[in-house]
Structure formats: C-alpha cells, structure tokens
C-alpha cells in the first residue's frame, strides 16, 4: 500500500470538502510505502490518499483487499 501523508498533500484540505479532487499535486518523493505482513489489518480515515499495486511475481497468491466504511448513525444530524 502506498499513501501520501496529509502534511505532504497540498490538496488534502480541499479533498475533505470536495471528494472529486484528483489528488495529483504532490511530489513523488513524498509517497510512503506501508510494508506489512500477509493478513495484516491496516486502518485510516477516508480522507487519506492511498493506492495499492500489483502482487510480486514471487507471490504465492494474488493480493486481496477488503474495504469497510463506518459512519456514526447521527452523522447527518451533526452536519446540519
């Protein structure tokens, strides 16, 4: 998994307000890899710019990803 730390993403504040932000204005050297072992659970909020890559040719099985989005029941009341 790769991601851009919020303090290195100039479009981060705009993306929180506008989910159509393309997140293309960052320096390539600010990309961070998050190496993990198989079956590791990784969590972050929905505003983190992140992406994966293909499995290594040495992998015994394909990479599998599962995403869950959780939201408080009163979210819409809080936003009013």
């Amino acid at each position: 998994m790769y991601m851009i730390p919020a303090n290195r993403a100039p479009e981060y504040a705009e993306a929180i307000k506008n989910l159509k932000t393309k997140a293309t204005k960052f320096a390539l050297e600010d990309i961070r890899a998050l190496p993990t072992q198989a079956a590791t659970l990784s969590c972050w909020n929905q505003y983190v710019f992140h992406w994966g890559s293909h499995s290594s040719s040495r992998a015994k099985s394909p990479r599998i990803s599962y995403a869950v989005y959780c939201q408080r029941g009163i979210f819409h009341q809080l936003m009013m």
Side-chain angles (χ1 to χ4, degrees), residues 1-59:
M1 185 63 62
Y2 298 92
M3 64 175 32
I4 301 292
N7 67 337
R8 296 295 193 169
E11 297 169 306
Y12 181 81
E14 176 62 25
I16 291 173
K17 296 179 232 166
N18 179 3
L19 296 179
K20 293 181 181 180
T21 301
K22 296 186 188 260
T24 57
K25 297 178 182 174
F26 58 84
L28 294 178
E29 59 268 19
D30 289 333
I31 296 171
R32 299 292 182 260
L34 302 175
T36 60
Q37 297 295 318
T40 298
L41 175 66
S42 300
C43 298
W44 48 82
N45 70 28
Q46 70 271 24
Y47 299 116
V48 174
F49 297 143
H50 65 282
W51 62 96
S53 64
H54 62 84
S55 297
S56 164
S57 61
R58 295 170 291 175

Side-chain angles (χ1 to χ4, degrees), residues 66-77:
Y66 180 76
V68 176
Y69 178 80
C70 299
Q71 179 175 302
R72 289 178 60 177
I74 63 168
F75 177 78
H76 295 289
Q77 294 173 5

